[in-house]
Protein backbone atom coordinates (compact mmCIF):
# COMPACT_ATOMS: atom_id res chain seq x y z
CA UNK A 1 0.00 0.00 0.00
CA UNK A 2 1.33 3.43 -0.94
CA UNK A 3 2.28 5.88 1.78
CA UNK A 4 -0.13 8.79 2.19
CA UNK A 5 0.95 12.01 0.48
CA UNK A 6 2.55 14.25 3.12
CA UNK A 7 0.66 17.46 3.79
CA UNK A 8 3.47 19.72 2.49
CA UNK A 9 2.96 18.29 -1.03
CA UNK A 10 -0.84 18.51 -1.19
CA UNK A 11 -0.78 21.68 -3.31
CA UNK A 12 2.33 20.84 -5.34
CA UNK A 13 1.91 20.52 -9.09
CA UNK A 14 1.72 16.90 -10.25
CA UNK A 15 4.03 15.68 -13.01
CA UNK A 16 3.21 12.65 -15.14
CA UNK A 17 6.03 11.63 -17.43
CA UNK A 18 5.37 10.13 -20.89
CA UNK A 19 2.29 9.58 -23.01
CA UNK A 20 1.22 6.12 -21.84
CA UNK A 21 0.46 4.52 -18.49
CA UNK A 22 3.17 1.88 -18.94
CA UNK A 23 5.88 4.37 -19.86
CA UNK A 24 4.85 6.71 -17.03
CA UNK A 25 5.32 3.81 -14.60
CA UNK A 26 8.73 2.99 -16.08
CA UNK A 27 9.95 6.59 -15.93
CA UNK A 28 8.71 7.06 -12.36
CA UNK A 29 10.70 3.96 -11.39
CA UNK A 30 13.81 5.39 -13.10
CA UNK A 31 13.40 8.58 -11.06
CA UNK A 32 13.07 6.71 -7.77
CA UNK A 33 16.13 4.52 -8.48
CA UNK A 34 18.22 7.57 -9.43
CA UNK A 35 18.69 6.83 -13.14
CA UNK A 36 16.47 9.66 -14.39
CA UNK A 37 17.56 13.01 -12.99
CA UNK A 38 16.40 15.33 -15.78
CA UNK A 39 13.50 16.11 -18.06
CA UNK A 40 12.41 18.69 -20.60
CA UNK A 41 9.25 20.47 -21.64
CA UNK A 42 8.28 22.69 -24.52
CA UNK A 43 8.24 26.38 -23.74
CA UNK A 44 4.61 27.50 -23.61
CA UNK A 45 2.31 29.97 -21.88
CA UNK A 46 2.55 28.08 -18.58
CA UNK A 47 5.82 29.82 -17.77
CA UNK A 48 9.22 28.56 -16.73
CA UNK A 49 9.73 26.59 -13.53
CA UNK A 50 12.48 27.86 -11.23
CA UNK A 51 15.36 26.20 -9.43
CA UNK A 52 14.02 25.05 -6.06
CA UNK A 53 10.47 24.38 -7.28
CA UNK A 54 9.01 21.12 -5.96
CA UNK A 55 6.77 18.77 -7.94
CA UNK A 56 5.05 15.47 -7.15
CA UNK A 57 5.78 12.75 -9.71
CA UNK A 58 2.85 10.44 -10.38
CA UNK A 59 2.71 7.01 -12.00
CA UNK A 60 0.55 5.98 -14.93
CA UNK A 61 -2.54 5.77 -12.72
CA UNK A 62 -1.95 9.27 -11.35
CA UNK A 63 -0.78 8.01 -7.96
CA UNK A 64 2.00 9.98 -6.22
CA UNK A 65 5.39 8.23 -6.34
CA UNK A 66 7.87 10.83 -5.12
CA UNK A 67 8.60 14.53 -4.73
CA UNK A 68 11.40 16.14 -6.72
CA UNK A 69 13.10 19.51 -6.42
CA UNK A 70 14.50 21.30 -9.46
CA UNK A 71 18.25 21.80 -9.20
CA UNK A 72 18.81 23.53 -12.56
CA UNK A 73 16.57 25.07 -15.21
CA UNK A 74 17.88 26.09 -18.65
CA UNK A 75 16.38 27.15 -21.98
CA UNK A 76 17.64 25.82 -25.29
CA UNK A 77 16.35 24.62 -28.63
CA UNK A 78 15.63 20.99 -29.46
CA UNK A 79 18.57 20.79 -31.86
CA UNK A 80 20.97 22.13 -29.19
CA UNK A 81 20.22 19.51 -26.51
CA UNK A 82 23.51 17.77 -25.69
CA UNK A 83 24.59 14.25 -24.80
CA UNK A 84 24.88 15.09 -21.09
CA UNK A 85 21.23 16.09 -20.89
CA UNK A 86 20.09 13.05 -22.88
CA UNK A 87 22.07 10.81 -20.51
CA UNK A 88 20.60 12.49 -17.43
CA UNK A 89 17.07 11.90 -18.75
CA UNK A 90 17.91 8.21 -18.25
CA UNK A 91 15.71 6.76 -20.97
CA UNK A 92 16.43 3.95 -23.43
CA UNK A 93 20.17 3.54 -24.05
CA UNK A 94 20.68 7.09 -22.70
CA UNK A 95 22.20 8.25 -26.01
CA UNK A 96 21.50 11.57 -27.70
CA UNK A 97 20.26 9.70 -30.80
CA UNK A 98 17.67 7.81 -28.71
CA UNK A 99 16.66 11.01 -26.92
CA UNK A 100 16.17 12.91 -30.19
CA UNK A 101 14.16 10.11 -31.81
CA UNK A 102 11.80 9.58 -28.85
CA UNK A 103 11.32 13.26 -28.04
CA UNK A 104 10.67 14.12 -31.67
CA UNK A 105 8.03 11.35 -31.74
CA UNK A 106 6.49 12.69 -28.53
CA UNK A 107 6.37 16.33 -29.65
CA UNK A 108 5.12 15.41 -33.14
CA UNK A 109 2.18 13.57 -31.55
CA UNK A 110 1.08 16.93 -30.14
CA UNK A 111 1.93 18.93 -33.31
CA UNK A 112 4.63 20.80 -31.40
CA UNK A 113 7.84 19.60 -33.02
CA UNK A 114 10.35 21.66 -34.91
CA UNK A 115 14.14 21.26 -34.77
CA UNK A 116 14.49 24.75 -33.31
CA UNK A 117 11.56 24.56 -30.87
CA UNK A 118 12.31 26.07 -27.47
CA UNK A 119 12.71 23.62 -24.62
CA UNK A 120 12.99 23.99 -20.88
CA UNK A 121 15.69 21.60 -19.62
CA UNK A 122 15.33 20.68 -15.98
CA UNK A 123 17.50 18.66 -13.62
CA UNK A 124 16.04 17.48 -10.35
CA UNK A 125 16.69 15.45 -7.23
CA UNK A 126 14.31 13.20 -5.34
CA UNK A 127 13.53 14.68 -1.96
CA UNK A 128 10.99 12.09 -0.77
CA UNK A 129 9.43 8.85 -1.99
CA UNK A 130 5.89 7.78 -1.13
Amino acid sequence: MAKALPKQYENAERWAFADSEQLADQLAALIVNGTKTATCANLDQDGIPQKGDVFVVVNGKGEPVCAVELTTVDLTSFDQVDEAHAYAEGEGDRSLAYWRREHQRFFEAYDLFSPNMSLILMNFKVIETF
Side-chain angles (χ1 to χ4, degrees):
M1 185 158 121
K3 186 166 107 175
L5 185 65
K7 198 170 210 57
Q8 71 261 34
Y9 303 117
E10 286 179 358
N11 296 316
E13 184 179 334
R14 306 299 200 259
W15 274 4
F17 289 85
D19 52 2
S20 74
E21 184 175 321
Q22 180 183 7
L23 189 52
D25 289 347
Q26 292 171 358
L27 297 182
L30 290 176
I31 292 167
V32 170
N33 77 21
T35 301
K36 181 172 181 60
T37 60
T39 193
C40 70
N42 63 305
L43 181 61
D44 60 18
Q45 69 279 3
D46 290 338
I48 301 170
Q50 301 298 308
K51 178 180 177 179
D53 286 353
V54 172
F55 299 91
V56 172
V57 175
V58 298
N59 64 18
K61 290 183 175 54
E63 302 163 333
V65 174
C66 64
V68 298
E69 179 181 344
L70 297 183
T71 57
T72 64
V73 178
D74 294 300
L75 293 176
T76 194
S77 61
F78 181 92
D79 58 358
Q80 294 298 308
V81 172
D82 62 18
E83 291 178 16
H85 182 81
Y87 187 83
E89 284 216 22
E91 301 173 30
D93 66 4
R94 302 179 84 172
S95 69
L96 182 57
Y98 179 90
W99 183 93
R100 287 186 194 274
R101 183 175 60 250
E102 288 303 306
H103 283 77
Q104 181 173 339
R105 178 198 62 77
F106 177 84
F107 288 122
E108 282 177 343
Y110 296 93
D111 292 326
L112 297 171
F113 179 75
S114 77
N116 64 349
M117 68 184 290
S118 295
L119 293 179
I120 306 165
L121 304 184
M122 296 163 278
N123 288 75
F124 53 80
K125 64 181 179 181
V126 174
I127 54 176
E128 189 167 350
T129 57
F130 313 125

